[in-house]
């Protein structure tokens, strides 16, 4: 599956693989240990935000903060 | 405004269905979705996972329709919020279109829960005997110029598991052409979309 930003697809796939593994093997089994995908998500998010701005997609009211709730770099 | 709802039982445990639902795209039963991105993901204080996603959809609107709509864009976008509660075994997903909103609103809600006939947790049964219930609802509103004489009319004949929705406007000839060119399946049944993934989820 592609990203909305063509340049972000590889970063998206890397994040999805990490997330799907954590989701199935940890989260659904009640393991609340740390999220191993934070860094991957941060890189992916930076790319997606840029694509959303460039394509002028009307996202309102959605926080663009990653799992650690750190503000994105501008 | 029209409300459409359906219920489906999957013969798989809740966890298996949820894993498949999170990886639903790409999906051969819904090739209109061409892009999916996670905008935000976090755990709340109750340990529930919230995900906000952006879906890009390509409906292939004819050129004349795009001209009438006054748009050169061929892609439309949907915003989705899901909440997975592994303690309560509940996944809820709400989505709404964020483009073409002057023309139509498609608000969809999905709820996945273990089947009420499943035994209690402390009775251990093989996964093959556990089921999951999906409730899918959609509220579709046609707006603006067409709203007075437009009535969403839903035929629920299932061809290969799809439920078709047709939005018909009876006011003027060009209105009819426009309305029938709109996504004729603004809400696809979830069941066939998950079918391909369920066998691979575990």
């Amino acid at each position: 599956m592609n990203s909305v930003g063509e340049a972000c697809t590889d970063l998206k796939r890397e994040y999805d693989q990490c997330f799907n593994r954590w989701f199935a093997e940890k989260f659904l089994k009640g393991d609340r240990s740390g999220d191993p995908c934070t860094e991957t998500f941060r890189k992916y998010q930076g790319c997606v935000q840029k694509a959303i701005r460039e394509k002028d997609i009307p996202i309102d009211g959605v926080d663009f903060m990653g799992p650690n709730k750190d503000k994105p770099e501008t | 405004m029209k409300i459409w709802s359906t219920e489906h039982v999957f013969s798989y445990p809740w966890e298996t269905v949820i894993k498949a639902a999170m990886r639903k795209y790409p999906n051969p039963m819904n090739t209109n979705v061409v892009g999916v991105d996670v905008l935000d993901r976090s755990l709340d204080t109750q340990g529930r996972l919230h995900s906000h996603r952006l879906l890009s959809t390509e409906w292939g609107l004819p050129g004349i329709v795009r001209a009438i709509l006054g748009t050169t864009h061929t892609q439309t976008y949907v915003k989705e919020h899901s909440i997975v509660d592994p303690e309560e075994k509940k996944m809820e997903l709400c989505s709404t279109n964020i483009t073409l909103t002057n023309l139509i609103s498609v608000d969809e809600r999905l709820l996945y829960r273990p089947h009420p006939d499943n035994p209690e947790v402390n009775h251990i049964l093989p996964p093959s005997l556990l089921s999951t219930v999906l409730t899918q609802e959609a509220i579709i509103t046609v707006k603006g110029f067409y709203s007075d004489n437009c009535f969403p009319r839903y035929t629920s004949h299932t061809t290969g598991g799809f439920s078709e929705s047709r939005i018909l406007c009876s006011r003027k000839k060009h209105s009819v052409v426009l309305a029938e060119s709109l996504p004729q399946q603004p809400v696809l049944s979830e069941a066939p979309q998950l079918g391909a993934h369920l066998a691979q989820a575990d």
Side-chain angles (χ1 to χ4, degrees):
Chain A
M1 187 83 269
N2 294 329
S3 166
V4 66
E6 293 78 13
C8 311
T9 295
D10 286 345
L11 290 170
K12 167 193 151 61
R13 286 186 187 153
E14 192 183 333
Y15 167 70
D16 282 347
Q17 275 184 354
C18 180
F19 169 76
N20 288 333
R21 197 178 314 122
W22 170 82
F23 185 74
E25 295 171 14
K26 303 280 186 185
F27 178 73
L28 285 183
K29 295 182 178 173
D31 186 334
R32 296 280 177 268
S33 57
D35 178 2
C37 310
T38 308
E39 194 49 39
T40 317
F41 185 73
R42 194 190 301 270
K43 287 187 226 171
Y44 164 47
Q45 268 305 288
C47 185
V48 167
Q49 288 176 46
K50 182 164 177 282
I52 286 171
R53 280 195 299 270
E54 283 171 357
K55 293 185 183 227
D56 206 20
I57 298 171
I59 298 288
D60 289 319
V62 178
D63 274 345
F64 289 111
M65 293 184 285
N68 287 335
K69 300 293 185 186
D70 289 330
K71 288 204 184 294
E73 292 172 14
T74 51
Chain B
M1 185 176 87
K2 186 71 181 180
I3 297 174
W4 172 87
S5 68
T6 186
E7 197 173 87
H8 182 82
V9 176
F10 295 99
S11 300
Y12 291 89
W14 180 82
E15 289 81 359
T16 304
V17 174
I18 297 313
K19 282 186 279 191
M22 293 300 263
R23 301 192 311 226
K24 193 167 69 174
Y25 302 112
N27 197 297
M29 304 296 266
N30 186 358
T31 54
N32 293 311
V33 176
V34 297
V36 179
D37 281 299
V38 179
L39 301 177
D40 184 45
R41 192 164 255 157
S42 60
L43 290 172
D44 65 17
T45 54
Q46 296 165 61
R48 303 178 305 178
L49 181 71
H50 291 251
S51 302
H52 290 272
R53 301 201 304 177
L54 173 69
L55 276 61
S56 314
T57 61
E58 176 62 72
W59 291 101
L61 294 177
I64 187 166
V65 174
R66 296 204 302 275
I68 293 171
L69 290 175
T71 178
T72 55
H73 300 295
T74 59
Q75 288 204 350
T76 57
Y77 296 98
V78 172
K79 192 170 68 172
E80 176 199 275
H81 177 204
S82 64
I83 305 174
V84 181
D85 187 335
E87 298 287 323
E88 295 279 323
K89 290 192 196 284
K90 184 172 151 186
M91 174 171 174
E92 186 174 354
L93 186 149
C94 296
S95 68
T96 187
N97 59 303
I98 57 173
T99 51
L100 299 183
T101 51
N102 58 328
L103 194 67
I104 187 170
S105 274
V106 181
D107 296 297
E108 189 180 9
R109 179 175 178 261
L110 280 68
L111 181 64
Y112 299 86
R113 301 214 66 173
H115 197 283
D117 290 348
N118 284 358
E120 292 174 14
V121 173
N122 55 357
H123 291 90
I124 298 172
L125 277 189
S128 57
L129 295 183
L130 298 173
S131 301
T132 300
V133 178
L134 161 67
T135 308
Q136 185 177 6
E137 294 174 343
I139 298 175
I140 300 178
T141 310
V142 179
K143 300 179 183 179
F145 172 73
Y146 306 104
S147 64
D148 289 345
N149 285 25
C150 284
F151 54 97
R153 190 174 118 207
Y154 298 95
T155 58
S156 60
H157 72 88
T158 49
T159 307
F162 284 96
S163 297
E164 282 195 76
S165 317
R166 292 182 183 273
I167 301 173
L168 303 176
C169 295
S170 59
R171 194 168 182 179
K172 292 180 186 176
K173 188 178 175 188
H174 81 269
S175 310
V176 174
V177 169
L178 172 62
E180 290 188 342
S181 297
L182 284 173
Q184 292 194 348
Q185 296 172 327
V187 180
L188 292 182
S189 282
E190 183 79 350
Q193 295 187 69
L194 282 195
H197 291 276
L198 280 167
Q200 303 164 14
D202 272 320

mmCIF file of all heavy atoms in Angstrom, chain B residues 13-39:
data_model
loop_
_atom_site.group_PDB
_atom_site.id
_atom_site.type_symbol
_atom_site.label_atom_id
_atom_site.label_comp_id
_atom_site.label_asym_id
_atom_site.label_seq_id
_atom_site.Cartn_x
_atom_site.Cartn_y
_atom_site.Cartn_z
ATOM 1 N N PRO B 13 -11.302 -15.803 16.022
ATOM 2 C CA PRO B 13 -11.257 -15.061 17.289
ATOM 3 C C PRO B 13 -11.055 -13.572 17.050
ATOM 4 O O PRO B 13 -10.537 -13.162 15.999
ATOM 5 C CB PRO B 13 -10.012 -15.647 17.999
ATOM 6 C CG PRO B 13 -9.565 -16.805 17.196
ATOM 7 C CD PRO B 13 -10.185 -16.736 15.849
ATOM 8 N N TRP B 14 -11.445 -12.796 18.041
ATOM 9 C CA TRP B 14 -11.403 -11.343 17.918
ATOM 10 C C TRP B 14 -10.000 -10.845 17.558
ATOM 11 O O TRP B 14 -9.836 -9.989 16.688
ATOM 12 C CB TRP B 14 -11.868 -10.728 19.239
ATOM 13 C CG TRP B 14 -11.871 -9.226 19.264
ATOM 14 C CD1 TRP B 14 -12.841 -8.394 18.784
ATOM 15 C CD2 TRP B 14 -10.846 -8.387 19.813
ATOM 16 N NE1 TRP B 14 -12.479 -7.077 18.990
ATOM 17 C CE2 TRP B 14 -11.264 -7.048 19.620
ATOM 18 C CE3 TRP B 14 -9.624 -8.625 20.439
ATOM 19 C CZ2 TRP B 14 -10.505 -5.952 20.029
ATOM 20 C CZ3 TRP B 14 -8.870 -7.538 20.850
ATOM 21 C CH2 TRP B 14 -9.311 -6.215 20.646
ATOM 22 N N GLU B 15 -8.966 -11.386 18.215
ATOM 23 C CA GLU B 15 -7.601 -10.910 17.971
ATOM 24 C C GLU B 15 -7.211 -11.121 16.502
ATOM 25 O O GLU B 15 -6.548 -10.273 15.899
ATOM 26 C CB GLU B 15 -6.591 -11.649 18.862
ATOM 27 C CG GLU B 15 -6.651 -11.294 20.332
ATOM 28 C CD GLU B 15 -7.761 -12.028 21.074
ATOM 29 O OE1 GLU B 15 -8.506 -12.805 20.420
ATOM 30 O OE2 GLU B 15 -7.893 -11.816 22.288
ATOM 31 N N THR B 16 -7.600 -12.241 15.935
ATOM 32 C CA THR B 16 -7.268 -12.538 14.538
ATOM 33 C C THR B 16 -7.946 -11.542 13.601
ATOM 34 O O THR B 16 -7.340 -11.046 12.651
ATOM 35 C CB THR B 16 -7.708 -13.969 14.184
ATOM 36 O OG1 THR B 16 -7.098 -14.871 15.101
ATOM 37 C CG2 THR B 16 -7.312 -14.345 12.767
ATOM 38 N N VAL B 17 -9.204 -11.242 13.891
ATOM 39 C CA VAL B 17 -9.950 -10.300 13.042
ATOM 40 C C VAL B 17 -9.342 -8.901 13.135
ATOM 41 O O VAL B 17 -9.201 -8.202 12.134
ATOM 42 C CB VAL B 17 -11.446 -10.276 13.442
ATOM 43 C CG1 VAL B 17 -12.201 -9.201 12.668
ATOM 44 C CG2 VAL B 17 -12.072 -11.640 13.204
ATOM 45 N N ILE B 18 -8.959 -8.513 14.338
ATOM 46 C CA ILE B 18 -8.392 -7.174 14.529
ATOM 47 C C ILE B 18 -7.061 -7.033 13.797
ATOM 48 O O ILE B 18 -6.781 -6.009 13.178
ATOM 49 C CB ILE B 18 -8.214 -6.877 16.030
ATOM 50 C CG1 ILE B 18 -9.567 -6.865 16.735
ATOM 51 C CG2 ILE B 18 -7.502 -5.562 16.263
ATOM 52 C CD1 ILE B 18 -10.622 -6.062 16.017
ATOM 53 N N LYS B 19 -6.222 -8.070 13.875
ATOM 54 C CA LYS B 19 -4.942 -8.016 13.157
ATOM 55 C C LYS B 19 -5.186 -7.869 11.664
ATOM 56 O O LYS B 19 -4.510 -7.093 10.976
ATOM 57 C CB LYS B 19 -4.116 -9.280 13.451
ATOM 58 C CG LYS B 19 -3.443 -9.232 14.809
ATOM 59 C CD LYS B 19 -2.519 -10.406 15.034
ATOM 60 C CE LYS B 19 -3.262 -11.632 15.461
ATOM 61 N NZ LYS B 19 -2.366 -12.714 15.938
ATOM 62 N N ALA B 20 -6.178 -8.577 11.146
ATOM 63 C CA ALA B 20 -6.504 -8.466 9.721
ATOM 64 C C ALA B 20 -7.057 -7.084 9.401
ATOM 65 O O ALA B 20 -6.736 -6.488 8.367
ATOM 66 C CB ALA B 20 -7.521 -9.544 9.338
ATOM 67 N N ALA B 21 -7.876 -6.543 10.299
ATOM 68 C CA ALA B 21 -8.479 -5.226 10.047
ATOM 69 C C ALA B 21 -7.419 -4.130 9.984
ATOM 70 O O ALA B 21 -7.506 -3.201 9.185
ATOM 71 C CB ALA B 21 -9.507 -4.902 11.136
ATOM 72 N N MET B 22 -6.395 -4.245 10.821
ATOM 73 C CA MET B 22 -5.357 -3.215 10.834
ATOM 74 C C MET B 22 -4.515 -3.266 9.565
ATOM 75 O O MET B 22 -3.840 -2.304 9.229
ATOM 76 C CB MET B 22 -4.444 -3.392 12.052
ATOM 77 C CG MET B 22 -5.129 -3.138 13.383
ATOM 78 S SD MET B 22 -5.779 -1.467 13.536
ATOM 79 C CE MET B 22 -4.483 -0.669 14.442
ATOM 80 N N ARG B 23 -4.539 -4.387 8.862
ATOM 81 C CA ARG B 23 -3.726 -4.539 7.640
ATOM 82 C C ARG B 23 -4.631 -4.727 6.421
ATOM 83 O O ARG B 23 -4.251 -5.377 5.463
ATOM 84 C CB ARG B 23 -2.804 -5.749 7.789
ATOM 85 C CG ARG B 23 -1.879 -5.643 8.982
ATOM 86 C CD ARG B 23 -0.801 -6.673 8.936
ATOM 87 N NE ARG B 23 -1.326 -7.999 8.679
ATOM 88 C CZ ARG B 23 -0.975 -9.073 9.339
ATOM 89 N NH1 ARG B 23 -0.122 -8.984 10.338
ATOM 90 N NH2 ARG B 23 -1.453 -10.241 9.019
ATOM 91 N N LYS B 24 -5.808 -4.130 6.475
ATOM 92 C CA LYS B 24 -6.819 -4.379 5.450
ATOM 93 C C LYS B 24 -6.401 -3.915 4.059
ATOM 94 O O LYS B 24 -6.843 -4.473 3.056
ATOM 95 C CB LYS B 24 -8.097 -3.656 5.864
ATOM 96 C CG LYS B 24 -9.323 -4.046 5.078
ATOM 97 C CD LYS B 24 -10.566 -3.522 5.748
ATOM 98 C CE LYS B 24 -10.639 -2.020 5.666
ATOM 99 N NZ LYS B 24 -11.915 -1.484 6.184
ATOM 100 N N TYR B 25 -5.586 -2.875 3.975
ATOM 101 C CA TYR B 25 -5.201 -2.330 2.672
ATOM 102 C C TYR B 25 -3.728 -2.620 2.383
ATOM 103 O O TYR B 25 -2.908 -2.555 3.289
ATOM 104 C CB TYR B 25 -5.434 -0.820 2.645
ATOM 105 C CG TYR B 25 -6.868 -0.438 2.926
ATOM 106 C CD1 TYR B 25 -7.217 0.232 4.095
ATOM 107 C CD2 TYR B 25 -7.883 -0.773 2.027
ATOM 108 C CE1 TYR B 25 -8.534 0.558 4.361
ATOM 109 C CE2 TYR B 25 -9.206 -0.443 2.298
ATOM 110 C CZ TYR B 25 -9.518 0.220 3.460
ATOM 111 O OH TYR B 25 -10.824 0.544 3.722
ATOM 112 N N PRO B 26 -3.346 -2.918 1.133
ATOM 113 C CA PRO B 26 -4.205 -2.928 -0.051
ATOM 114 C C PRO B 26 -5.181 -4.104 -0.028
ATOM 115 O O PRO B 26 -4.902 -5.120 0.611
ATOM 116 C CB PRO B 26 -3.214 -3.077 -1.212
ATOM 117 C CG PRO B 26 -2.038 -3.761 -0.602
ATOM 118 C CD PRO B 26 -1.966 -3.280 0.814
ATOM 119 N N ASN B 27 -6.297 -3.922 -0.727
ATOM 120 C CA ASN B 27 -7.321 -4.941 -0.666
ATOM 121 C C ASN B 27 -7.914 -5.160 -2.052
ATOM 122 O O ASN B 27 -8.413 -4.219 -2.661
ATOM 123 C CB ASN B 27 -8.414 -4.521 0.319
ATOM 124 C CG ASN B 27 -9.271 -5.682 0.743
ATOM 125 O OD1 ASN B 27 -9.944 -6.287 -0.086
ATOM 126 N ND2 ASN B 27 -9.252 -6.005 2.026
ATOM 127 N N PRO B 28 -7.879 -6.394 -2.547
ATOM 128 C CA PRO B 28 -8.397 -6.635 -3.898
ATOM 129 C C PRO B 28 -9.896 -6.389 -4.024
ATOM 130 O O PRO B 28 -10.406 -6.210 -5.122
ATOM 131 C CB PRO B 28 -8.067 -8.118 -4.142
ATOM 132 C CG PRO B 28 -7.907 -8.710 -2.787
ATOM 133 C CD PRO B 28 -7.384 -7.615 -1.904
ATOM 134 N N MET B 29 -10.595 -6.382 -2.882
ATOM 135 C CA MET B 29 -12.044 -6.152 -2.915
ATOM 136 C C MET B 29 -12.385 -4.669 -2.842
ATOM 137 O O MET B 29 -13.548 -4.302 -2.909
ATOM 138 C CB MET B 29 -12.720 -6.863 -1.738
ATOM 139 C CG MET B 29 -12.421 -8.347 -1.692
ATOM 140 S SD MET B 29 -13.088 -9.175 -3.124
ATOM 141 C CE MET B 29 -14.649 -9.714 -2.499
ATOM 142 N N ASN B 30 -11.381 -3.839 -2.671
ATOM 143 C CA ASN B 30 -11.636 -2.398 -2.614
ATOM 144 C C ASN B 30 -10.427 -1.677 -3.192
ATOM 145 O O ASN B 30 -9.615 -1.107 -2.466
ATOM 146 C CB ASN B 30 -11.913 -1.951 -1.179
ATOM 147 C CG ASN B 30 -12.331 -0.492 -1.103
ATOM 148 O OD1 ASN B 30 -12.389 0.198 -2.123
ATOM 149 N ND2 ASN B 30 -12.605 -0.009 0.093
ATOM 150 N N THR B 31 -10.320 -1.713 -4.492
ATOM 151 C CA THR B 31 -9.147 -1.126 -5.142
ATOM 152 C C THR B 31 -9.242 0.390 -5.246
ATOM 153 O O THR B 31 -8.320 1.035 -5.741
ATOM 154 C CB THR B 31 -8.966 -1.719 -6.555
ATOM 155 O OG1 THR B 31 -10.185 -1.542 -7.275
ATOM 156 C CG2 THR B 31 -8.638 -3.197 -6.480
ATOM 157 N N ASN B 32 -10.350 0.966 -4.760
ATOM 158 C CA ASN B 32 -10.452 2.426 -4.761
ATOM 159 C C ASN B 32 -9.499 3.066 -3.759
ATOM 160 O O ASN B 32 -9.110 4.214 -3.909
ATOM 161 C CB ASN B 32 -11.882 2.864 -4.428
ATOM 162 C CG ASN B 32 -12.850 2.472 -5.522
ATOM 163 O OD1 ASN B 32 -12.604 2.716 -6.690
ATOM 164 N ND2 ASN B 32 -13.942 1.831 -5.138
ATOM 165 N N VAL B 33 -9.151 2.351 -2.700
ATOM 166 C CA VAL B 33 -8.215 2.901 -1.712
ATOM 167 C C VAL B 33 -6.810 2.735 -2.271
ATOM 168 O O VAL B 33 -6.339 1.616 -2.459
ATOM 169 C CB VAL B 33 -8.353 2.184 -0.357
ATOM 170 C CG1 VAL B 33 -7.307 2.708 0.630
ATOM 171 C CG2 VAL B 33 -9.756 2.390 0.198
ATOM 172 N N VAL B 34 -6.163 3.856 -2.539
ATOM 173 C CA VAL B 34 -4.847 3.798 -3.182
ATOM 174 C C VAL B 34 -3.727 4.247 -2.255
ATOM 175 O O VAL B 34 -2.551 4.147 -2.598
ATOM 176 C CB VAL B 34 -4.827 4.642 -4.488
ATOM 177 C CG1 VAL B 34 -5.802 4.079 -5.498
ATOM 178 C CG2 VAL B 34 -5.148 6.098 -4.191
ATOM 179 N N GLY B 35 -4.071 4.779 -1.098
ATOM 180 C CA GLY B 35 -3.040 5.215 -0.164
ATOM 181 C C GLY B 35 -3.579 5.245 1.260
ATOM 182 O O GLY B 35 -4.739 5.597 1.487
ATOM 183 N N VAL B 36 -2.751 4.841 2.205
ATOM 184 C CA VAL B 36 -3.127 4.887 3.623
ATOM 185 C C VAL B 36 -1.942 5.423 4.405
ATOM 186 O O VAL B 36 -0.821 4.925 4.248
ATOM 187 C CB VAL B 36 -3.482 3.483 4.170
ATOM 188 C CG1 VAL B 36 -3.841 3.577 5.644
ATOM 189 C CG2 VAL B 36 -4.638 2.873 3.401
ATOM 190 N N ASP B 37 -2.173 6.405 5.252
ATOM 191 C CA ASP B 37 -1.112 6.929 6.107
ATOM 192 C C ASP B 37 -1.610 7.078 7.539
ATOM 193 O O ASP B 37 -2.763 7.424 7.766
ATOM 194 C CB ASP B 37 -0.635 8.303 5.609
ATOM 195 C CG ASP B 37 0.304 8.192 4.435
ATOM 196 O OD1 ASP B 37 1.379 7.563 4.596
ATOM 197 O OD2 ASP B 37 -0.039 8.690 3.353
ATOM 198 N N VAL B 38 -0.703 6.820 8.468
ATOM 199 C CA VAL B 38 -1.001 7.042 9.882
ATOM 200 C C VAL B 38 -0.618 8.477 10.218
ATOM 201 O O VAL B 38 0.518 8.891 9.978
ATOM 202 C CB VAL B 38 -0.206 6.061 10.769
ATOM 203 C CG1 VAL B 38 -0.505 6.326 12.241
ATOM 204 C CG2 VAL B 38 -0.548 4.627 10.400
ATOM 205 N N LEU B 39 -1.560 9.239 10.732
ATOM 206 C CA LEU B 39 -1.292 10.628 11.098
ATOM 207 C C LEU B 39 -0.874 10.746 12.561
ATOM 208 O O LEU B 39 -0.088 11.608 12.926
ATOM 209 C CB LEU B 39 -2.549 11.481 10.867
ATOM 210 C CG LEU B 39 -3.087 11.489 9.440
ATOM 211 C CD1 LEU B 39 -4.363 12.317 9.370
ATOM 212 C CD2 LEU B 39 -2.051 12.021 8.469
#
